[in-house]
């Protein structure tokens, strides 16, 4: 069984957008039953750190990296999927490039190898073809278009009791 990373560094949309995406997930769960990420909050995952040792080794470099990032307004305006497995909300082209650069650059800043990135906010994962088709049908008439200022990274710690990344341990604000 794959070990769940202890820390996850993410970018959150606004509270209102998190609530909206939670309602999307609830609607989908009512239609297809439980699925992967059904209970997860909306976020853009940047990097996961496996354990306390890894976190301790890289947190200062990550904090330094955040001082080099310029805040920017990002826009999410379409639904998309990775094959039949994952259904998500996708950013527009300019926002995609900005967020992908953050993902790639944070990995490189601590010496992790990464070839590409695809920033997104997952609605559902672990689907099969039938469930993906139903998911696409559920959202076929739903319009999505929201913006927020991307100005910080949240560090979440996995909570073994809740079995979620429910504990925010730090917020790293961008300095530029």
């Amino acid at each position: 069984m794959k070990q769940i990373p202890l820390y996850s560094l993410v970018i959150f949309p606004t509270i209102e957008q998190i609530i909206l995406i939670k309602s999307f997930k609830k609607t989908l769960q009512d239609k297809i039953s439980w699925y992967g990420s059904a209970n997860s909050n909306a976020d853009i995952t940047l990097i996961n750190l496996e354990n306390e040792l890894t976190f301790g080794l890289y947190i200062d470099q990550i904090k330094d990296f955040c001082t080099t990032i310029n805040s920017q307004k990002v826009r999410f305006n379409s639904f998309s999927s990775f094959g039949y497995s994952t259904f998500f909300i996708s950013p527009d082209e300019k926002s995609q490039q900005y967020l992908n650069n953050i993902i790639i650059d944070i990995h490189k800043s601590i010496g992790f190898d990464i070839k590409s990135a695809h920033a997104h906010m997952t609605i559902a994962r672990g689907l099969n073809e039938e469930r993906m088709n139903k998911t696409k049908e559920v959202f076929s008439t739903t319009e999505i278009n929201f913006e927020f200022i991307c100005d910080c990274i949240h560090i979440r710690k996995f909570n073994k009791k809740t079995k979620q990344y429910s504990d925010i341990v730090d917020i790293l604000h961008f300095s530029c």
Side-chain angles (χ1 to χ4, degrees), residues 37 47-49 57 69 86 100-101 109 113-114 139-140 149 151 155 161:
S37 76
I47 191 168
N48 292 319
L49 301 172
L57 284 173
I69 303 174
T86 304
N100 286 351
N101 286 342
S109 76
D113 191 30
I114 185 170
F139 291 101
S140 65
I149 301 296
D151 61 359
I155 301 174
K161 289 182 183 176

Side-chain angles (χ1 to χ4, degrees), residues 32-163:
I32 69 169
S33 185
W34 188 90
Y35 56 88
S37 76
N39 298 320
S40 301
N41 277 335
D43 68 65
I44 303 153
T45 302
L46 304 178
I47 191 168
N48 292 319
L49 301 172
E50 300 301 319
N51 52 50
E52 292 288 348
L53 177 61
T54 306
F55 180 75
L57 284 173
Y58 298 113
I59 189 59
D60 288 338
Q61 288 171 270
I62 292 168
K63 287 178 180 181
D64 288 345
F65 169 76
C66 287
T67 66
T68 69
I69 303 174
N70 291 315
S71 298
Q72 181 175 308
K73 184 184 290 187
V74 293
R75 180 175 177 232
F76 284 74
N77 64 349
S78 64
F79 292 105
S80 191
S81 66
F82 295 131
Y84 294 115
S85 152
T86 304
F87 185 78
F88 58 89
I89 302 171
S90 191
D92 67 14
E93 189 175 329
K94 181 180 175 187
S95 301
Q96 183 80 62
Q97 186 63 47
Y98 169 76
L99 294 165
N100 286 351
N101 286 342
I102 291 174
I103 294 169
I104 290 167
D105 292 347
I106 197 169
H107 279 80
K108 287 181 177 178
S109 76
I110 61 173
F112 283 25
D113 191 30
I114 185 170
K115 292 183 182 5
S116 65
H118 190 92
H120 64 280
M121 286 191 226
T122 301
I123 298 290
R125 68 175 180 264
L127 303 178
N128 58 27
E129 183 176 359
E130 179 184 339
R131 295 176 94 204
M132 178 60 78
N133 289 337
K134 182 68 175 173
T135 298
K136 288 179 177 179
E137 181 183 311
V138 167
F139 291 101
S140 65
T141 60
T142 304
E143 290 193 28
I144 188 77
N145 189 12
F146 60 80
E147 299 175 331
F148 62 92
I149 301 296
C150 180
D151 61 359
C152 66
I153 294 173
H154 288 77
I155 301 174
R156 303 180 305 172
K157 187 172 184 179
F158 188 75
N159 184 312
K160 291 178 183 175
K161 289 182 183 176
T162 65
K163 297 186 178 170

Side-chain angles (χ1 to χ4, degrees), residues 6-24:
L6 188 58
Y7 293 95
S8 181
L9 282 67
V10 301
I11 295 170
F12 285 122
T14 67
I15 295 295
E16 294 81 13
Q17 293 158 354
I18 290 171
I19 292 168
L20 173 66
I21 294 167
K22 187 176 208 154
S23 75
F24 290 166

